[in-house]
């Protein structure tokens, strides 16, 4: 922990050498220090005259307080990264449903690299379950559930830290909105996570995304003009490799332009806990277990049976047939009955 | 009564978040009222009324909405007290990035959305930088990476704030926000002597006073010129 006395009389160049993340801090706060590198922080602050302060809405006390707070957060964050901050399991301890009845399970423990599906009608309480996990509920939400991490009561940092979020989300409605190319975008994301070997990581993500989408990525394409399958692939690869969150929630994955099986394998391979809200039988049976939600509570937890796993093989064949017909239609062909027969 | 000031750029999701948060507060038996400040017009009062929430609105018209807010906040507080609310929430749209609508010791929430662009946190002044809680909305329609980058940019300009992602449509996260808002110990009885967190945008040129003609001879008071030579 540092305090303001430790930094106010340090020359800016030295400060940035010691805490490189402060370079982007000054930039993101619209403080141009380029002509003051050989001056101290106090000297830099005092160069603003009253009018400039008023115009920039600059408040020295507030700025210094924020600077100290941010530096301490980053020191702690970088420390955590070194110590390893791994999550091996999360446990949901049962609460009640909307009518106040006890949920019909005691504890549900989910390990990393496990896929658990969530099924149930819209409005049945899927969002609430997710929110309970994200908030690491301690009997203090409407469901009275509690969440344990690595079998223990979780640290409160999961609730409030902006860089340590428990749950990352991927859903059908998500789009890229930034005006950046694929390369710029990945670099920006990596930098915001204070990652050092940015280039290696970016190429790892691109390889993974290429593998999922089938169509090769051009790194200079603006992310907003990627095809549907490509955006989905990039989002999944980026979330798997670069997101800090140990749990990934997937809200359906469209069955077009992307290899869903490989996508799940990628997430599981990166040691994520995967929660998947889906009613697509192929995806649902890829899960190890599924949670059935009814009336705001967890009604059942079902292990995927051997029979279901065997069915998955059949379902995948049926799916291939349909995919095949789809691409024939796209190519302008006339369909015939033989195309439905298994090969 | 707890007083909470909510502010944020137009259409960022303030009303959606406030409505969902009040839902959660009501289930805990709290009585909540809202006052909406806007500039030219608003239909938010209808939305609050539909949800059964007592509401008043104030339109600043030709005045700076911030100045209008601070000149009326005492009366607004009195209205809340006389109605016996446990919580009074004010919603005001931050129409310029220099807005600074918060009061010391009164809980301040800034609502901004993921669609506004990653340079937005840098551009918004005291409205974002001095808030206690920053709520980020519309995470349901942008990618995970963009959400992460956006909240890290918010954290850089206001590292002391609690940053929460809330979905204004489904209300995911609003229950959690509601638990941070009501404080048994934080009752206000009047605002006399309280101070703004930061000075408001300066006014008082002839145009503030209704001048409509263009030309140097009509410009009086607090006027400043662009330096066209400077790049
Ligand atoms: N997709 C999505 N839409 C949202 C979300 N939050 C709000 N909206 C939508 O955004 C629009 C604006 O939301 P409002 O809550 O009216 O925003 P506001 O900040 O109160 O707007 P003004 O009071 O007019 O400045 C509405 O159409 C909302 O339905 C969100 O989290 N996700
Ligand atoms: Mg509104």
């Amino acid at each position: 922990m540092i305090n303001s006395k430790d930094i106010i009389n340090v020359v800016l160049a030295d400060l940035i050498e010691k805490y490189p993340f402060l370079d982007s801090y000054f930039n993101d706060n619209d403080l141009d220090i380029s002509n003051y590198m050989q001056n101290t922080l106090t000297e830099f602050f005092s160069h603003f005259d009253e009018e400039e302060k008023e115009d920039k809405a600059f408040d020295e006390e507030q700025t210094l307080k924020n600077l100290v707070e941010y530096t301490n957060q980053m020191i702690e964050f970088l420390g955590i990264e070194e110590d390893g901050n791994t999550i091996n399991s999360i446990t949901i301890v049962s609460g009640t449903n909307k009518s106040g009845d006890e949920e019909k399970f005691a504890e549900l423990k989910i390990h990393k690299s496990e896929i658990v599906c969530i099924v149930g009608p819209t409005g049945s309480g899927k969002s609430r379950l997710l929110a309970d996990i994200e908030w690491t509920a301690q009997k203090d939400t409407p469901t009275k559930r509690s969440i344990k991490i690595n079998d223990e009561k979780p640290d409160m940092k999961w609730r409030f830290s902006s860089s340590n979020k428990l749950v990352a989300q991927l859903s059908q409605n998500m789009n890229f909105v930034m005006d950046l190319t694929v390369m710029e975008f990945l670099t920006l994301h990596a930098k915001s996570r204070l990652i050092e070997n940015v280039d290696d990581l970016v190429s790892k993500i691109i390889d993974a995304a290429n593998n999922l989408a089938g169509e090769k990525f051009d790194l200079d394409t603006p992310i907003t003009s990627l095809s549907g399958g490509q955006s989905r692939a990039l989002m999944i690869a980026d979330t798997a490799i670069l997101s800090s969150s140990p749990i990934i929630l997937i809200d359906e994955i469209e069955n077009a332009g992307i290899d869903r099986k490989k996508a799940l394998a990628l997430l599981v391979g990166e040691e994520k806990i995967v929660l998947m809200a889906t009613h697509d039988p192929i995806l649902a049976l890829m899960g190890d277990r599924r949670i059935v939600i009814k009336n705001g509570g967890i009604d059942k937890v079902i292990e995927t049976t051997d029979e279901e796993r065997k069915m998955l093989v059949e379902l995948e064949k049926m799916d291939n047939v349909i995919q095949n017909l789809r691409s024939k239609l796209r190519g302008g062909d006339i369909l015939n009955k033989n195309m439905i027969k298994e090969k | 009564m707890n007083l909470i000031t909510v502010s944020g750029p137009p259409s960022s999701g303030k009303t959606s978040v406030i409505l969902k948060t009040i839902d959660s507060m009501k289930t805990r038996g709290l009585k909540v009222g809202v006052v909406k400040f806007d500039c030219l017009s608003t239909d938010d009062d209808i939305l609050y009324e539909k949800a059964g929430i007592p509401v008043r609105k104030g339109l600043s018209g030709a005045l700076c909405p911030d100045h209008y807010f601070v000149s009326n906040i005492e009366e607004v507080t009195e209205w809340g007290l006389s109605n016996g609310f446990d919580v009074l929430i004010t919603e005001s749209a931050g129409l310029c990035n220099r807005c600074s609508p918060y009061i010391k010791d009164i809980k301040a929430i800034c609502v901004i959305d993921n669609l506004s662009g990653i340079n937005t946190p840098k551009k918004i002044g005291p409205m974002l930088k001095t808030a206690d809680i920053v709520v980020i909305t519309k995470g349901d329609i942008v990618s995970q990476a963009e959400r992460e980058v956006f909240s890290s940019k918010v954290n850089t300009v206001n590292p002391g704030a609690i940053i929460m992602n809330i979905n204004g449509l489904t209300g995911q996260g609003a229950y959690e926000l509601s638990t941070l808002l009501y404080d048994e110990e934080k009752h206000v009885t009047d605002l006399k002597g309280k101070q703004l967190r930061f000075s408001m945008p300066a006014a008082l040129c002839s145009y503030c006073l209704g001048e409509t003609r263009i030309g140097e001879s009509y410009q009086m008071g607090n006027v400043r010129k662009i330096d066209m030579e400077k790049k």
Side-chain angles (χ1 to χ4, degrees):
Chain A
M1 289 282 272
I2 62 158
N3 64 43
S4 54
K5 286 201 210 74
D6 300 330
I7 55 174
I8 48 172
N9 292 318
V10 179
V11 172
L12 288 173
D14 295 344
L15 196 62
I16 288 186
E17 187 173 332
K18 185 152 183 209
Y19 304 117
F21 49 79
L22 287 182
D23 196 22
S24 61
Y25 177 86
F26 285 111
N27 185 27
D28 286 345
N29 276 283
D30 205 13
L31 296 169
D32 182 5
I33 54 168
S34 51
N35 293 325
Y36 295 88
M37 290 307 270
Q38 297 315 319
N39 296 94
T40 66
L41 199 55
T42 315
E43 286 163 351
F44 170 67
F45 284 163
S46 61
H47 92 276
F48 293 111
D49 59 33
E50 281 309 314
E51 192 176 318
E52 265 179 295
K53 282 187 186 170
E54 183 57 35
D55 283 352
K56 293 193 93 129
F58 172 83
D59 176 341
E60 181 167 336
E61 201 183 320
Q62 180 78 32
T63 307
L64 186 61
K65 199 176 113 205
N66 283 356
L67 185 62
V68 170
E69 170 79 32
Y70 183 79
T71 308
N72 283 326
Q73 280 178 14
M74 287 300 138
I75 292 171
E76 192 193 351
F77 172 74
L78 295 168
I80 286 173
E81 293 285 280
E82 281 157 22
D83 299 349
N85 196 22
T86 40
I87 291 200
N88 296 312
S89 69
I90 55 162
T91 308
I92 304 165
V93 183
S94 72
T96 57
N97 68 13
K98 275 183 197 151
S99 324
D101 307 323
E102 294 274 327
E103 287 179 301
K104 296 178 190 141
F105 71 104
E107 286 199 349
L108 173 63
K109 184 168 172 182
I110 308 173
H111 295 90
K112 63 181 179 192
S113 297
E114 193 178 342
I115 302 174
V116 172
C117 294
I118 304 174
V119 298
T122 346
S124 59
K126 282 186 270 188
S127 304
R128 185 66 254 162
L129 175 65
L130 255 301
D132 282 349
I133 296 174
E134 194 155 34
W135 191 243
T136 55
Q138 294 303 315
K139 298 194 193 301
D140 57 355
T141 65
T143 60
K144 300 280 181 288
R145 289 186 189 119
S146 49
I147 302 296
K148 291 192 276 189
I149 293 179
N150 298 339
D151 292 319
E152 282 170 30
K153 188 175 167 199
D155 192 318
M156 288 294 281
K157 74 162 189 247
W158 294 110
R159 279 194 182 180
F160 296 121
S161 153
S162 64
S163 50
N164 283 303
K165 285 266 167 259
L166 257 186
V167 184
Q169 296 196 25
L170 284 167
S171 95
Q172 296 280 57
N173 307 330
M174 287 174 186
N175 289 296
F176 288 122
V177 294
M178 287 180 188
D179 284 323
L180 296 174
T181 65
V182 172
M183 187 67 194
E184 290 165 341
F185 167 75
L186 291 174
T187 310
L188 177 71
H189 189 199
K191 285 199 173 142
S192 86
R193 298 267 343 270
L194 301 174
I195 279 167
E196 277 165 13
N197 50 346
V198 172
D199 294 346
D200 291 353
L201 222 74
V202 167
S203 56
K204 186 174 168 197
I205 295 171
I206 296 289
D207 286 347
N210 275 332
N211 183 31
L212 298 182
E215 308 166 71
K216 274 246 176 293
F217 277 83
D218 175 1
L219 297 188
D220 296 324
T221 313
I223 48 175
T224 48
S225 16
L226 294 171
S227 73
Q230 280 185 322
S231 334
R232 211 58 55 203
L234 186 61
M235 278 182 205
I236 293 171
D238 169 88
T239 304
I241 295 166
L242 207 44
S243 171
S244 60
S245 308
I247 302 171
I248 311 277
L249 169 78
I250 300 176
D251 203 350
E252 297 282 3
I253 317 181
E254 227 167 89
N255 193 8
I258 171 163
D259 188 328
R260 301 187 293 176
K261 209 172 177 178
K262 280 188 192 160
L264 288 177
L266 172 66
L267 291 165
V268 164
E270 293 291 327
E271 308 209 316
K272 301 288 186 186
I273 289 173
V274 180
L275 299 176
M276 188 160 52
T278 184
H279 294 144
D280 179 322
I282 296 186
L283 285 179
L285 297 185
M286 280 179 195
D288 306 293
R289 284 182 283 177
R290 57 188 186 271
I291 298 175
V292 184
I293 304 206
K294 230 186 236 175
N295 188 28
I298 295 182
D299 188 54
K300 257 188 253 177
V301 181
I302 301 174
E303 296 259 351
T304 307
T305 65
D306 285 341
E307 185 174 347
E308 284 176 331
R309 280 185 213 284
K310 279 179 201 140
M311 281 172 67
L312 181 57
V313 180
E314 295 299 311
L315 287 172
E316 280 172 342
K317 280 184 198 153
M318 286 153 78
D319 188 47
N320 281 339
V321 171
I322 290 175
Q323 290 305 323
N324 192 27
L325 294 178
R326 200 191 288 265
S327 61
K328 289 259 186 319
L329 277 176
R330 193 181 295 127
D333 292 352
I334 294 172
L335 306 185
N336 64 52
K337 280 185 190 158
N338 289 335
M339 293 173 181
I340 310 185
K341 297 225 177 83
E342 262 183 53
K343 281 168 232 143
Chain B
M1 182 181 76
N2 280 200
L3 177 62
I4 296 162
T5 54
V6 178
S7 206
S11 297
S12 57
K14 299 177 292 295
T15 305
S16 312
V17 169
I18 295 172
L19 283 170
K20 298 286 185 195
T21 310
I22 293 180
D23 277 350
S24 294
M25 289 178 149
K26 276 187 177 165
T27 60
R28 279 186 288 148
L30 295 172
K31 195 173 168 205
V32 190
V34 173
V35 175
K36 162 74 187 194
F37 286 91
D38 216 317
C39 189
L40 295 179
S41 82
T42 181
D43 289 329
D44 283 358
D45 48 329
I46 301 171
L47 295 174
Y48 289 117
E49 219 150 66
K50 259 195 203 151
I53 301 162
V55 59
R56 287 288 180 274
K57 70 173 162 184
L59 297 177
S60 63
L63 299 177
C64 159
D66 258 17
H67 291 227
Y68 179 77
F69 168 86
V70 72
S71 348
N72 283 288
I73 190 67
E74 266 197 288
E75 287 79 355
V76 161
T77 308
E78 275 159 27
W79 174 75
L81 288 166
S82 66
N83 277 276
F85 298 145
D86 299 303
V87 181
L88 176 64
I89 301 179
T90 64
E91 172 185 344
S92 45
L95 297 175
C96 83
N97 286 338
R98 178 58 181 77
C99 274
S100 173
Y102 307 132
I103 302 164
K104 283 183 186 158
D105 300 325
I106 301 290
K107 190 150 281 171
I109 303 178
C110 178
V111 179
I112 55 175
D113 71 73
N114 272 300
L115 297 177
S116 60
I118 46 166
N119 289 319
T120 298
K122 178 172 167 175
K123 286 190 278 190
I124 304 181
M127 177 166 74
L128 176 61
K129 290 183 181 155
T130 66
D132 302 307
I133 300 177
V134 179
V135 169
I136 305 177
T137 58
K138 304 187 191 175
D140 53 321
I141 41 186
V142 306
S143 68
Q144 174 68 25
E146 286 161 304
R147 275 195 299 283
E148 289 180 13
V149 172
F150 196 81
S151 73
S152 91
K153 295 276 176 193
V154 170
N155 185 56
T156 328
V157 298
N158 188 348
I162 292 175
I163 300 174
M164 303 186 78
N165 286 282
I166 297 185
N167 182 328
L169 298 182
T170 64
Q172 189 172 332
Y175 172 85
E176 287 71 12
L177 175 65
S178 78
T179 63
L180 305 178
L181 296 190
Y182 184 67
D183 189 339
E184 296 271 357
E185 321 263 285
K186 275 270 175 188
H187 292 296
V188 291
T189 45
D190 72 81
L191 294 178
K192 247 183 229 86
K194 288 223 187 286
Q195 271 195 317
L196 287 171
R197 295 194 182 188
F198 205 88
S199 67
M200 289 187 156
L204 281 184
C205 69
S206 41
Y207 296 104
C208 301
L209 299 170
E211 180 59 75
T212 55
R213 291 165 296 181
I214 296 172
E216 189 121 26
S217 57
Y218 305 113
Q219 298 168 357
M220 279 177 296
N222 199 351
V223 175
R224 187 154 357 119
K225 295 294 187 182
I226 277 196
D227 180 356
M228 298 303 289
E229 300 302 312
K230 201 169 124 189
K231 273 194 240 165

